[in-house]
Amino acid sequence: IDGVRKVADLFRERGERIDWCVTGEPSSKRLLGDLLRVGRRGSLSATLTVRGIQGHVAYPEKARNPIHEALPALAALTARRWDDGYESFPPTRLQVSNILAGTGANNVIPGELQVLFNLRYNPNWTAPQLEDECESILRAHCSDLAIHWHRSGEPFYTPEGPLRAAAREVLQAFAGESPEESTGGGTSDARFIAPLGAHCVEIGPVNASIHKVDEHVAVADLERLPDLYFALMVRLLA
């Protein structure tokens, strides 16, 4: 409803352009400034429902087990080699994040199974192509299914230019080493800004604990970030 997506829509309506964007997404690996994110893969999420026929486990001929139908399909999806990467992008990958089925009883074949999975994809693919490919694999194994897709971001890449050059110089001064330049990782708010024509980079705290139970960033990193961003602005606008 709000946030960067709303701001990007407003800029688009006004015809306003952003030249450079720096996103504070946690992206460093070992120490602040050792990685410069210069692009991101796209993100495509699916909610899959496989419908069966509920019944007693002692009478499988009177039921249809959606778990048994879904497992070979999921195995095929997760084993598939989608590509070998694209220029500066890592390979496209699929990960299953949630599986839900069953009544809690050990003698009941469930009537339905739900699976959540996500693809992080490079420019070898478009979202519609991936949707078609996944659905083809799923329908080869599952007799009754429904799938809902959510496209949360397309791939983007920032080519060489003043922003990348300035960021490299500033990060080397802060980290004491040349930063790795990467398009890996998840998504960020830069996915809303890049389509406006902006060159985007991401510079932020160490993300070693990202989405773990004890997810955290170092206070010391947060205290140094304003100086890092200010140095980058000075370098760009000098």
Side-chain angles (χ1 to χ4, degrees):
I1 297 174
D2 301 306
V4 175
R5 187 197 298 266
K6 187 76 169 181
V7 172
D9 288 342
L10 186 61
F11 276 29
R12 193 174 288 108
E13 291 170 9
R14 293 175 175 175
E16 295 183 21
R17 175 182 169 82
I18 298 174
D19 295 317
W20 299 322
C21 171
V22 179
T23 305
E25 180 78 12
S27 49
S28 299
K29 296 173 71 175
R30 296 178 295 103
L31 68 160
L32 180 64
D34 66 357
L35 188 141
L36 174 64
R37 197 78 67 189
V38 296
R40 289 282 190 174
R41 291 172 293 177
S43 178
L44 176 64
S45 296
T47 301
L48 167 68
T49 301
V50 180
R51 292 180 285 261
I53 299 174
Q54 184 171 314
H56 196 294
V57 295
Y59 302 95
E61 69 278 4
K62 298 181 179 181
R64 188 176 71 247
N65 195 322
I67 298 175
H68 292 185
E69 287 194 357
L71 287 179
L74 295 177
L77 284 175
T78 55
R80 192 190 192 291
R81 188 180 184 91
W82 299 91
D83 55 54
D84 295 316
Y86 179 90
E87 295 181 359
S88 299
F89 286 81
T92 296
R93 292 196 170 94
L94 180 149
Q95 289 291 311
V96 175
S97 58
N98 285 271
I99 298 178
L100 178 65
T103 64
N106 64 6
N107 63 344
V108 178
I109 294 171
E112 186 174 282
L113 172 141
Q114 187 178 81
V115 180
L116 307 184
F117 63 86
N118 176 270
L119 292 115
R120 297 301 165 104
Y121 64 98
N122 60 47
N124 275 310
W125 297 88
T126 64
Q129 287 173 331
L130 284 170
E131 291 169 7
D132 289 345
E133 185 72 13
C134 289
E135 290 187 28
S136 175
I137 293 171
L138 290 166
R139 294 188 189 283
H141 297 277
C142 304
S143 55
D144 186 4
L145 66 85
I147 189 163
H148 172 73
W149 294 99
H150 175 64
R151 304 172 187 176
S152 57
E154 296 289 333
F156 71 88
Y157 179 71
T158 295
E160 282 291 347
L163 179 59
R164 279 182 65 167
R168 255 195 314 267
E169 181 180 312
V170 170
L171 291 184
Q172 182 160 6
F174 268 75
E177 60 185 56
S178 296
E180 175 187 346
E181 297 180 49
S182 168
T183 58
T187 58
S188 75
D189 283 347
R191 71 188 187 273
F192 305 123
I193 301 298
L196 298 175
H199 282 193
C200 300
V201 297
E202 299 177 19
I203 303 169
V206 173
N207 68 0
S209 64
I210 189 165
H211 287 8
K212 296 184 183 295
V213 174
D214 63 340
E215 183 172 16
H216 63 277
V217 296
V219 172
D221 283 357
L222 297 179
E223 291 174 340
R224 295 185 69 204
L225 276 172
D227 292 336
L228 190 159
Y229 295 144
F230 183 75
L232 179 55
M233 286 189 289
V234 169
R235 172 66 177 77
L236 275 170
L237 302 176

